[in-house]
Amino acid sequence: MDHSIQDVARLAGTTSRTLRHYGAEGLLPPSRIGTNGYRYYDDRALVRLQRILLLRDLGLGLPAIRLVLDREVDETAALREHLGWLEQEQQRLDRQIRSVQTTITTLEGEDQLMADQMFDGFDHTQYKEEVVERWGADAYRNSDEWWRSMTTAQRKEWRAATRALQADWADAVTRRVDPAGAEGQQLARRHVRWLGAVPGLPRENGHLAADYVRGLGEMYVADDRFGADYGGPAGAAFVRDALAHYADEHL
Amino acid sequence: MDHSIQDVARLAGTTSRTLRHYGAEGLLPPSRIGTNGYRYYDDRALVRLQRILLLRDLGLGLPAIRLVLDREVDETAALREHLGWLEQEQQRLDRQIRSVQTTITTLEGEDQLMADQMFDGFDHTQYKEEVVERWGADAYRNSDEWWRSMTTAQRKEWRAATRALQADWADAVTRRVDPAGAEGQQLARRHVRWLGAVPGLPRENGHLAADYVRGLGEMYVADDRFGADYGGPAGAAFVRDALAHYADEHL
DNA sequence: GCTTGACGTTGACGCAGCGGCAAGTTCTAC
DNA sequence: GTAGAACTTGCCGCTGCGTCAACGTCAAGC
C-alpha cells in the first residue's frame, strides 16, 4: 500500500524533487518514514497530491493550496480570488502585447521628417513661442539640439515610444478609466518619464517641473490638434486631468 | 551636467536601487564615479536609461536589453521574438482562466448522483464487465470503494477536475492541434495523472499500465457517448491518439 | 566646530517553486 | 561481494530588484 517517492512521482506525473519540496513545506508530509530515512506515501497521500497538483495546474500558489486543503478557506472563494488575479495578469499582458506591436510597426515605418516631428501628436515644438516665453530660450534650444544629436535609430525609437504612449492614452480614454486611478496615473508616470528624457526642459528638484507638466496638459486641451488624436476634447481633458493629478501627487 | 543617483532616479521614474542594479549588471555604468565613491550620470547615460526603461516596460529581460543596446541584435527582431513569447504566455493564461472558471462553476453545481457518475463523460464504470474481465475483479472494487470513501467536497472537486479536463480536450479538438504535439501530450499527461489518482487501476512499475491507457482510448472511440462530448468520433479518436502516443513515450 | 539629517556606499537576504548537482547511505540484482 | 539504481540531506541558481543593515559624506544651521 506504500509507494516509494519515485513511484509516486511517476504515478502523479511529477518529480521526486517536487515531492521533497512539498514535504519540506509541510504541504504533503510522507505518510511514513522508514528507519532508513526513506519516504513512503499511502493512498491518502496520493489523493492529497492529486489535489495539490490540480490546484497548481490552475496556477494557485502553495500557501493558497495549503489553506484550501486544510479547509481554512473555502475552495470556491480561493479560486474566485485567484481568477481575479489571473484576469489582471491577462490585462497586463494584453497591454504589453499592444505596446510591443505598436513599437514594432513604428520601428518598421520609414524615416519621417526631422526635429519638428519630434513629438508627433504631442508636438510641443510647435509651441516654440510659448515654450520660449514661459520657460526661457535655452530650454527650447537644448531640446532641439538634443533631438538633432540623436542617431536615426534613436530617433526612430523615440517616435515609436511616442506612438505607443499616444495609443495607450487613446485606449484608456475610450475605455473611460479614471484619470486619477491606477491606470491613468501609470500612464501619467510614463508620460512624465518619457518627457523627462529630454534635457533642457524645466525641472525642479531633479524632476520635471510640476507647473510645466500642468501647463502642458492645458496646452493639449487648448489646441484641437492634440485632442483629435484621442477622440475629441474629452481625450485631451483626460490627459490633462491625469497629468495634473500626477503632478499634485508626485512632483 | 552630472546628476546624482537620486536625481536620475526621480527624473526617470525609477529607484536608486534599480540604477545600482543596472550598474552592477554592466547595463548602465555610471558615467563618472567620484573620489567619494558616488555615482554620477551624464545626459548620455540618461538617454540610455530611458531606452532601458522603455524596453523593460515592454517586458524584455535585462540580457535581451543589453543585446539591443549594444547593437548585437536588431531591435525589431528582438521585439518580434519577445512578442512571440508574450503571446505564448497569453495563451497559457487564457487556458488557465478557462480551467479555473470551469472548476468554479462545477464546484458550485449541486451534488449529483454517486459512484456511477464518477467519471461523468469519461464514465468507465459503465464498462464494468470489460474492466473486470481484462483487469481483474478487485480493480473494479477498489475504484468503487475509493469513490465512496470520498467526502462530498472531494467528490465535487473530482468532478470539477473531470469537467475541466473534458472541456480542455474538447477545446484542443476544435482547434485541431496535433495529438502528438506539445499541447496534446500535455493533455494526455493530465489525463493519466487524473486517472492515476484512482487506486486499484492496473499499474506497472508504479504508474498506470500502458496497455490500460491504450485500451481506454479505444473504448472512448468505440462508444459514441464519449465522442459526443468532443464533437463526434473525430474527438474520441483525437483523445485515443494522444493517449496512445503518450503511453508509447512515457509509460 | 559640531550636530543633524539627507544622501551615498557596499553587502546580503528574500522571494516562488522547484531544477540540478554533490556527497554520502541504502537497497537490489547478479 | 559488488555494481548500479534509488534514496537521503544540503545548497546554489534563477529574475529583478525591494528592503534592511552598517557605515561614510555632505550641506545647513547653531
Side-chain angles (χ1 to χ4, degrees):
Chain A
M1 301 309 91
D2 284 355
H3 311 274
S4 75
I5 194 167
Q6 279 293 2
D7 284 355
V8 174
R10 270 195 297 263
L11 206 148
T14 182
T15 70
S16 61
R17 179 66 183 83
T18 298
L19 293 176
R20 272 189 280 270
H21 185 58
Y22 292 166
E25 297 289 304
L27 191 57
L28 181 72
S31 38
R32 184 170 69 81
I33 294 187
T35 55
N36 48 17
Y38 282 25
R39 294 166 172 81
Y40 295 102
Y41 300 83
D42 60 17
D43 288 344
R44 289 235 316 277
L46 259 176
V47 171
R48 189 176 169 93
L49 176 58
Q50 293 300 329
R51 296 193 70 188
I52 293 173
L53 295 175
L54 264 163
L55 295 172
R56 276 261 53 198
D57 279 350
L58 296 180
L60 266 83
L62 298 187
I65 291 177
R66 173 160 40 220
L67 292 179
V68 170
L69 290 182
D70 296 351
R71 307 204 172 284
E72 293 182 20
V73 301
D74 177 45
E75 178 166 5
T76 309
L79 284 181
R80 225 186 286 281
E81 185 184 337
H82 180 55
L83 185 59
W85 149 262
L86 283 178
E87 283 168 345
Q88 204 172 329
E89 276 296 290
Q90 192 185 35
Q91 285 181 21
R92 199 178 55 77
L93 260 184
D94 282 351
R95 274 199 298 272
Q96 257 184 3
I97 286 176
R98 283 200 304 267
S99 289
V100 171
Q101 283 170 339
T102 306
T103 306
I104 288 178
T105 60
T106 309
L107 279 174
E108 281 177 335
E110 70 232 25
D111 284 41
Q112 292 181 338
L113 304 166
M114 290 296 284
D116 53 2
Q117 294 281 328
M118 172 167 142
F119 288 96
D120 273 7
F122 292 117
D123 192 346
H124 80 186
T125 66
Q126 299 181 358
Y127 295 87
K128 177 174 178 177
E129 289 179 23
E130 273 191 65
V131 170
V132 171
E133 182 183 329
R134 296 183 58 175
W135 305 107
D138 58 348
Y140 178 77
R141 248 184 292 116
N142 283 339
S143 293
D144 207 52
E145 280 181 16
W146 165 75
W147 176 252
R148 279 199 286 263
S149 73
M150 288 168 81
T151 70
T152 302
Q154 286 172 331
R155 273 194 284 264
K156 263 179 147 175
E157 182 172 313
W158 173 263
R159 280 196 300 265
T162 304
R163 293 268 175 91
L165 181 58
Q166 199 172 337
D168 290 345
W169 273 122
D171 185 51
V173 166
T174 61
R175 284 186 291 111
R176 303 181 173 284
V177 309
D178 180 10
E183 194 177 341
Q185 290 305 290
Q186 170 72 16
L187 277 169
R189 179 164 155 270
R190 265 178 69 194
H191 199 104
V192 170
R193 172 190 291 177
W194 164 79
L195 267 181
V198 184
L201 292 185
R203 298 168 200 280
E204 55 192 10
N205 304 326
H207 57 263
L208 279 187
D211 280 346
Y212 175 75
V213 172
R214 291 196 195 88
L216 207 62
E218 296 298 344
M219 292 205 295
Y220 292 160
V221 173
D223 191 292
D224 297 337
R225 284 172 297 181
F226 290 127
D229 289 326
Y230 330 113
F238 175 87
V239 176
R240 178 200 56 190
D241 293 343
L243 286 179
H245 186 77
Y246 184 82
D248 291 345
E249 297 286 310
H250 300 287
L251 301 181
Chain B
M1 305 299 96
D2 287 354
H3 311 274
S4 75
I5 194 166
Q6 279 293 5
D7 284 355
V8 174
R10 270 195 297 261
L11 206 150
T14 182
T15 70
S16 60
R17 177 66 183 86
T18 298
L19 293 176
R20 273 191 279 271
H21 185 57
Y22 292 166
E25 297 288 305
L27 193 56
L28 181 70
S31 38
R32 185 170 69 81
I33 294 187
T35 56
N36 49 15
Y38 282 25
R39 294 166 172 81
Y40 295 102
Y41 300 84
D42 60 16
D43 287 346
R44 290 236 314 278
L46 260 177
V47 171
R48 189 175 170 91
L49 175 58
Q50 293 300 329
R51 296 193 68 190
I52 293 173
L53 294 176
L54 263 162
L55 295 172
R56 275 260 55 194
D57 279 350
L58 295 181
L60 267 82
L62 298 187
I65 291 177
R66 172 159 41 219
L67 292 179
V68 170
L69 290 182
D70 295 351
R71 306 201 174 286
E72 293 182 21
V73 302
D74 177 46
E75 178 166 5
T76 309
L79 285 180
R80 224 185 287 281
E81 186 184 335
H82 180 55
L83 185 58
W85 148 263
L86 283 178
E87 284 168 345
Q88 205 172 328
E89 277 296 291
Q90 192 185 35
Q91 286 181 20
R92 199 178 55 78
L93 261 184
D94 282 350
R95 273 198 296 274
Q96 258 186 2
I97 286 176
R98 282 199 303 268
S99 289
V100 172
Q101 284 170 338
T102 305
T103 306
I104 288 177
T105 60
T106 308
L107 280 174
E108 281 178 333
E110 69 231 26
D111 284 41
Q112 292 181 339
L113 304 165
M114 289 297 281
D116 53 1
Q117 293 279 330
M118 172 166 140
F119 289 95
D120 273 8
F122 290 118
D123 191 348
H124 80 189
T125 66
Q126 300 182 357
Y127 295 88
K128 176 173 178 177
E129 290 180 21
E130 272 190 66
V131 170
V132 170
E133 182 183 329
R134 294 183 57 175
W135 306 106
D138 59 346
Y140 178 77
R141 248 183 294 115
N142 284 338
S143 293
D144 206 54
E145 281 182 17
W146 165 76
W147 177 252
R148 278 201 287 263
S149 74
M150 288 168 81
T151 69
T152 303
Q154 286 172 330
R155 273 195 285 263
K156 261 179 148 177
E157 181 172 313
W158 173 263
R159 280 196 301 265
T162 304
R163 293 268 175 90
L165 181 58
Q166 200 172 337
D168 290 344
W169 274 121
D171 185 50
V173 166
T174 61
R175 283 185 291 111
R176 301 180 174 286
V177 309
D178 180 11
E183 193 176 341
Q185 290 304 290
Q186 170 71 17
L187 278 168
R189 178 163 154 271
R190 266 179 67 194
H191 199 106
V192 170
R193 173 190 289 177
W194 164 78
L195 266 181
V198 184
L201 292 185
R203 298 169 201 279
E204 54 192 11
N205 305 325
H207 55 264
L208 278 186
D211 280 346
Y212 175 75
V213 172
R214 291 196 195 90
L216 208 60
E218 296 298 343
M219 291 204 295
Y220 292 159
V221 173
D223 192 292
D224 297 337
R225 284 171 297 181
F226 291 127
D229 289 324
Y230 330 113
F238 175 88
V239 176
R240 178 199 56 191
D241 293 344
L243 286 179
H245 186 78
Y246 184 84
D248 290 345
E249 299 285 310
H250 301 286
L251 300 181

